[in-house]
Amino acid sequence: MKIKNILSLAAATVVLASCGDRMDYKEYSVYDEDYVKTTFARAAGLVTSIYNDLDSDFGNYSGALLASATDEAVYSHSGNAIETFYNGGWSASNNNDASLWTKCWRGISYANLYLDKFKDETFEEYLMDLNYKQELHQYQNLQFEARFLRAYYYFLLVRSFGGVPLITNVMDAEEASTQPRVTSDEIFQYINSECKAIQDTIIKDYSNLGNMQLNNKNETGRANNLAVLALKARAALYYASPLFNPSNDKERWHQAALANKELIDACKDRGMKLTADYGSLFQKDNWQNIEECIFVRRIISSNNNFEKYNFPIGLENAGGGNCPTQNLVEAYEPGDIRLAATVAMNGEQWPNDVLETFVGGANGQPITFATPTGYYLKKYVNKSLTIGASNPTTERHHWVTFRLGEFYLNYAEAMLNYTGSGYARETGLNMTAADAVNTVRTRAKLGNIAADLSASQFAERLENERFVELAFEGHRFYDLRRWKKAGEAKYRTIKSMYITKNADGTFNETVQSDATTRSYWDDKMYLFPIAQSEILKSKGNLTQNPGW
């Protein structure tokens, strides 16, 4: 197992990337434990480094998003690594997401290191400093950040691999590499217990610390108590889902409903709500949207790579990229404002010219890498950037890890499965599943969900709401797996819009279905394979997932 032996810090370099515009970041050369323990800043720097490996998806597969392995999108460049998820080429020796394993274990290892070695300092040599109490207060909170981050990395691991080794203290490389797996139940229970243990002690609001606020230091990019509640709530939903709950234990759904309601209530108490401008959640400076965003993975580097991947073919340096499917477009109801914020269509101005996705158009087939679906991507794409060779512009891109909109839908799903109805209330759960869904639909300028749906009909509508509300946010790939629906034919049949232009300037639009490109499925793919190299390192202690 590639868990770094970081007990020895000899001549190691910890690169501290910013999690927020006002979090300090620089490079530290760490020589030994005493060096880290010398100042508040060095201890804080070690925790800041744990944030470095948090997940985001701005084209992790050579430009392709995980969405392009689902019915959300098709990547316009054939032969891309994303195809391995659905063409039968995925294997333990051709592990499509080996970096996920590596990054999670690196984050866990640094968290263990900090918690074992550096969380109990008093820095008495700075006792007479003017800001000693404030520095110590924020230092003492770092242990809770480290525990949150460790639990979050374990969630990423269990979501993809199921049960993994549970390592919560520093080990040398050989010992760590030979740890056996525990069950997924144990990992989910660990995540839940860690979140419960720290949710009331971690700082609630870094921008409002009263007399504990440091001058000119407002580190709002760090995880607070709402992030902890959000992790607990999302993990509870996964734990209740069919992939991890094959016996359909209703109590798991109950606990998931309670956890998601707890977060929603805490957000309301903080004055949070669904922001009116849905599209702004995925544009420049989205981390400043404190109405809805709970935790945003802020990325320090300024670039235009995502735009190069996804701007329409026909623009200089544009790649076409992750093209929304007709499947997704059909999921939107008339008047849904989320469609215009997510999908670029023929005839509209995007980014600065009228888009021509029809056959023979400036942005359509048969141009190489033109959209195969008839659409281009808007969500997370910054239309103001210039990607051409002359005077290109760049900007930071920040990934929304947790936002309030998700948790209304999480709550609705948990309540539906717990009560068997979209309209039932329970003690402590006075919001119905329909109430939660309607909160999301109201922001989208839609009417309420029908009031007389059966449980199965409600589930279908709820699934559709997740499809459109959370499109291109990294959920669909895992939703279809946790529901154990990814193998169903309808999710592997990709629809596109074939558009031709008539002589009079009108258009003919024909929906086309293709069940061939995503025809391969094996149930072993509900979980990822562990890289064969990691299996070999474990000396037989790390077992492979079934079927791989």
Side-chain angles (χ1 to χ4, degrees), residues 278-545:
Y278 173 83
S280 69
L281 291 166
F282 315 103
Q283 292 299 314
K284 177 185 175 183
D285 294 334
N286 55 351
W287 63 273
Q288 294 184 17
N289 187 322
I290 59 174
E291 278 190 320
E292 182 168 349
C293 289
I294 296 168
F295 183 69
V296 178
R297 166 71 162 101
R298 303 190 205 168
I299 298 173
I300 184 174
S301 61
S302 181
N303 61 68
N304 58 18
N305 294 335
F306 193 66
E307 287 66 35
K308 287 181 178 178
Y309 290 144
N310 293 292
F311 269 5
I313 286 298
L315 301 180
E316 184 182 4
N317 287 339
N322 300 275
C323 301
T325 61
Q326 182 66 20
N327 309 54
L328 177 62
V329 172
E330 289 178 358
Y332 292 91
E333 298 174 39
D336 192 334
I337 65 169
R338 295 170 293 191
L339 176 61
T342 305
V343 181
M345 298 187 173
N346 181 59
E348 71 171 288
Q349 184 170 312
W350 180 260
N352 299 307
D353 299 313
V354 175
L355 196 59
E356 298 181 351
T357 66
F358 57 86
V359 175
N363 316 106
Q365 298 287 340
I367 302 173
T368 303
F369 306 138
T371 173
T373 66
Y375 306 103
Y376 286 103
L377 179 64
K378 278 187 179 178
K379 200 166 184 179
Y380 273 120
V381 177
N382 188 335
K383 68 177 292 185
S384 69
L385 293 185
T386 300
I387 65 170
S390 178
N391 300 317
T393 56
T394 63
E395 195 51 80
R396 294 183 182 185
H397 298 71
H398 307 296
W399 184 256
V400 179
T401 303
F402 298 126
R403 65 179 180 88
L404 185 55
E406 172 199 341
F407 294 93
Y408 278 105
L409 298 179
N410 289 358
Y411 175 83
E413 181 180 342
M415 277 294 283
L416 174 65
N417 284 279
Y418 173 53
T419 67
S421 168
Y423 315 100
R425 305 179 195 276
E426 292 286 337
T427 303
L429 298 170
N430 59 350
M431 180 170 59
T432 68
D435 292 337
V437 172
N438 290 336
T439 301
V440 175
R441 289 175 61 84
T442 297
R443 190 257 300 277
K445 307 300 183 185
L446 299 174
N448 287 347
I449 195 169
D452 58 353
L453 300 177
S454 67
S456 60
Q457 290 171 330
F458 195 98
E460 184 177 350
R461 295 304 308 151
L462 176 55
E463 180 184 313
N464 196 81
E465 284 297 324
R466 286 189 72 90
F467 196 17
V468 297
E469 174 72 20
L470 304 176
F472 297 98
E473 296 181 52
H475 291 278
R476 184 69 168 177
F477 182 92
Y478 289 103
D479 279 350
L480 292 177
R481 279 165 168 74
R482 67 181 177 86
W483 295 331
K484 298 202 74 173
K485 291 184 175 181
E488 295 181 18
K490 73 173 184 176
Y491 301 107
R492 295 186 289 110
T493 299
I494 302 302
K495 297 180 182 179
S496 60
M497 179 62 77
Y498 183 79
I499 309 171
T500 57
K501 187 175 184 179
N502 299 316
D504 62 358
T506 60
F507 297 97
N508 294 323
E509 297 182 341
T510 305
V511 175
Q512 297 183 333
S513 296
D514 181 2
T516 60
T517 59
R518 309 283 175 91
S519 60
Y520 180 82
W521 177 262
D522 190 310
D523 282 353
K524 68 183 181 181
M525 297 192 300
Y526 281 119
L527 292 175
F528 287 28
I530 297 172
Q532 189 61 29
S533 59
E534 305 296 341
I535 300 292
L536 293 175
K537 283 184 216 172
S538 75
K539 300 180 180 178
N541 290 296
L542 186 64
T543 57
Q544 183 58 272
N545 276 324

Side-chain angles (χ1 to χ4, degrees), residues 3-169:
I3 303 176
K4 296 176 67 176
N5 178 9
I6 54 177
L7 178 59
S8 171
L9 294 178
T13 298
V14 179
V15 181
L16 304 180
S18 170
C19 288
D21 285 0
R22 300 184 65 178
M23 285 179 67
D24 295 331
Y25 54 92
K26 60 185 75 175
E27 291 190 1
Y28 289 94
S29 294
V30 183
Y31 295 102
D32 54 34
E33 292 181 31
D34 291 337
Y35 181 90
V36 178
K37 293 177 178 178
T38 301
T39 68
F40 290 110
R42 290 170 185 162
L46 181 55
V47 173
T48 304
S49 71
I50 306 172
Y51 284 86
N52 287 355
D53 288 312
L54 288 175
D55 57 319
S56 63
D57 188 2
F58 290 112
N60 291 342
Y61 301 90
S62 301
L65 304 172
L66 204 55
S68 288
T70 75
D71 54 349
E72 279 183 329
V74 176
Y75 197 61
S76 64
H77 298 240
S78 62
N80 185 272
I82 200 69
E83 296 173 10
T84 308
F85 282 116
Y86 56 79
N87 67 8
W90 197 10
S91 70
S93 57
N94 184 24
N95 190 343
N96 220 14
D97 214 346
S99 64
L100 171 65
W101 181 269
T102 300
K103 288 180 177 180
C104 287
W105 284 118
R106 183 164 56 213
I108 290 168
S109 298
Y110 275 114
N112 288 339
L113 176 66
Y114 181 82
L115 293 167
D116 276 9
K117 299 290 182 180
F118 303 113
K119 70 178 177 63
D120 296 319
E121 300 304 307
T122 58
F123 301 101
E124 292 183 359
E125 62 270 34
Y126 296 98
L127 188 61
M128 303 307 295
D129 281 11
L130 182 64
N131 294 322
Y132 176 80
K133 288 183 179 180
Q134 291 84 357
E135 291 275 15
L136 186 64
H137 174 70
Q138 294 200 26
Y139 162 76
Q140 289 171 339
N141 184 72
L142 294 174
Q143 62 183 299
F144 306 122
E145 290 184 50
R147 290 175 70 177
F148 161 78
L149 291 164
R150 181 173 61 183
Y152 184 79
Y153 286 123
Y154 270 115
F155 171 74
L156 296 182
L157 286 171
V158 72
R159 179 178 70 170
S160 291
F161 299 99
V164 294
L166 182 56
I167 301 174
T168 58
N169 58 279

